[in-house]
Amino acid sequence: MRNMAKIMYIAFVFLFFYASSADSALQTVNGTIHVRIGTTAACSDAARFIQSQVLQTYELYKEYLEIEFVPWGRTRRDAQGNLNCQFGENDCWANRVQRCVLSLLAGNTDVQVKYMLCEFSPPFPALRQRSLLCAQSVGLSVIEVDYCMTTTGNALEGPAELASTAAVEAIRFIPFIVFNNNINVNQHVQAYRNLRSTICFALADDPTTGITYCKI
């Protein structure tokens, strides 16, 4: 009886972990993967992730990826509706710049990725220098960005807040990574550790992509 109970226990544990793994397995949707990356300008973890993983993964698999950056992080509103960002006023200002620039670059993911890499690399122009250097480096004028900062930028706050709140509550980490609009903590952890591998294996599971080999 003891041996039978032990076998049943082992079988239960195996099935539990198999089900958990299957539930966390990333899949394509119509041959593509939507990747939402939640950031905040002064977050060193976000900077490392963008510098070391995002650009490399995007360049390898860009034809299958829809990348969305959400510069909001753990921002909260006070009773008057003012924004309080995790790392203070400069964090808020740089996040607003990034939201504006990303909106002005809508539809051009190549340039959006290039822009965010600029902002999250030394000297971190918007955050540390209150500079629009990165925006200018991707072809935008100071006038365009400044107009958004002083007017239309307010309208970008709501969508960023909506896209971030539930993800931050569930994942409790910045940057957060959400695939295909489905908040999944296991997928986030896998992607934060190795975004390229996570994307590659999902693409390899879809025969329409033609991806057949992935590195762990």
Side-chain angles (χ1 to χ4, degrees), residues 98-119:
Q98 291 170 20
R99 288 193 295 271
C100 280
V101 172
L102 290 169
S103 72
L104 291 167
L105 297 174
N108 193 338
T109 309
D110 284 4
V111 181
Q112 287 182 331
V113 170
K114 179 181 178 182
Y115 165 72
M116 289 297 277
L117 179 64
C118 177
E119 291 287 25

Side-chain angles (χ1 to χ4, degrees), residues 9-27 184 186-187 190 205:
Y9 174 76
I10 293 172
F12 171 80
V13 170
F14 173 79
L15 289 172
F16 174 81
F17 281 105
Y18 177 82
S20 298
S21 175
D23 179 62
S24 65
L26 176 62
Q27 295 180 321
N184 184 305
N186 289 332
Q187 288 180 0
Q190 292 168 10
D205 281 341

